Amino acid sequence: MRIPAHAVCTAIRDDIVSGVFGPGGRLTEELLARRYGVSRVPVREALRTLESEGFVTTRRHAGACVAEPTEQEAADLLEVRMLLEPLAAARAARRRSEAHLKVLRGLVRLGQERARRGQGEDLRALGGWFHETLTQASDSPGLVALLTQLRHKVAWMYAVDTPARPVESWAEHGAIVDAVARGDAERARVLTAGHVSRAAGVHRLRVRTSQPAVNTASGGL
């Protein structure tokens, strides 16, 4: 059975994000085909997709390599995400389904419970699920695609610590869901903008370059 290129693309992207393939590392078709048990054809297609997404770059005489983003590029990603997350929340307030609300409320209950218990690992996973669901509730395929790609890249470039005050952070999640449930798009937008701006402080840059550090605390998630 032929494994589709999108499945190979996901596998390679996951390995880049998790650090299996480090920045600047070569990505030969032969090596990748052996690793994932596929032919070179889906690998070649996957590498083209990942290059368009910014995870891979092609170098003369070296071929495909893992991209080496600069600190400025990483900071820009957080800023773009800061702009798009509030937009998604505002659209969710207008377009969400009852199923989305049920999931969001359930995640808030779990998050608040885990926050009180200090279960940091659970909180990171729940927080990611919350924001993914909020984006899905926007019922905007283009926006969902953009934010999904941004989340992959932010996860690649940044390590995320547990917020210093997780109870307060999950209270903010709850307030966002309340605004979405009421259909108050402007309130959902404002609350989400404040939340993602404050959350920038728990992001630590993984990718280091020779460029000077830049301030990422002003925006992002």
Side-chain angles (χ1 to χ4, degrees):
M1 182 179 67
R2 183 177 183 274
I3 298 177
H6 69 80
V8 179
C9 182
T10 297
I12 299 173
R13 186 193 298 111
D14 287 347
D15 278 344
I16 291 174
V17 170
S18 65
V20 172
F21 302 125
R26 290 189 63 194
L27 297 169
T28 67
E29 292 178 10
E30 182 180 1
L31 179 152
L32 296 173
R34 284 202 311 268
R35 178 177 178 82
Y36 305 114
V38 298
S39 71
R40 293 189 181 191
V41 174
V43 168
R44 193 174 302 126
E45 294 176 23
L47 289 175
R48 283 198 292 265
T49 298
L50 291 168
E51 184 167 18
S52 72
E53 294 179 356
F55 288 98
V56 171
T57 186
T58 300
R59 295 177 179 171
R60 189 176 182 182
H61 306 309
C65 301
V66 178
E68 298 180 90
T70 66
E71 293 187 23
Q72 185 61 63
E73 288 170 340
D76 287 348
L77 279 178
L78 282 181
E79 187 172 358
V80 171
R81 189 174 173 188
M82 184 188 73
L83 295 173
L84 294 183
E85 291 274 1
L87 174 60
R91 289 188 177 179
R94 301 187 187 101
R95 305 175 182 178
R96 88 295 184 280
S97 67
E98 287 303 315
H100 286 129
L101 278 180
K102 182 177 180 179
V103 173
L104 287 168
R105 285 169 170 154
L107 288 169
V108 168
R109 283 194 298 272
L110 284 173
Q112 290 175 339
E113 177 186 331
R114 300 297 192 274
R116 287 192 295 268
R117 295 181 180 179
Q119 295 172 307
E121 287 300 320
D122 286 351
L123 289 178
R124 279 189 285 273
L126 288 170
W129 193 0
F130 175 88
H131 286 283
E132 288 172 13
T133 304
L134 185 63
T135 301
Q136 291 289 338
S138 73
D139 193 27
S140 178
L143 188 55
V144 171
L146 283 171
L147 278 168
T148 297
Q149 187 178 133
L150 278 171
R151 289 191 186 102
H152 286 313
K153 296 185 81 170
V154 168
W156 172 39
M157 296 179 186
Y158 290 90
V160 182
D161 297 323
T162 301
R165 292 185 289 274
V167 173
E168 286 84 346
S169 179
W170 277 93
E172 292 175 1
H173 285 134
I176 292 168
V177 174
D178 288 342
V180 168
R182 293 195 304 271
D184 190 339
E186 179 59 18
R187 181 66 173 163
R189 185 194 66 78
V190 170
L191 289 172
T192 303
H195 174 73
V196 297
S197 180
R198 284 184 289 276
V202 301
H203 285 71
R204 291 182 291 104
L205 195 64
R206 296 184 197 269
V207 179
R208 296 295 179 183
T209 72
S210 58
Q211 294 195 4
V214 294
N215 179 20
T216 62
S218 61
L221 179 67

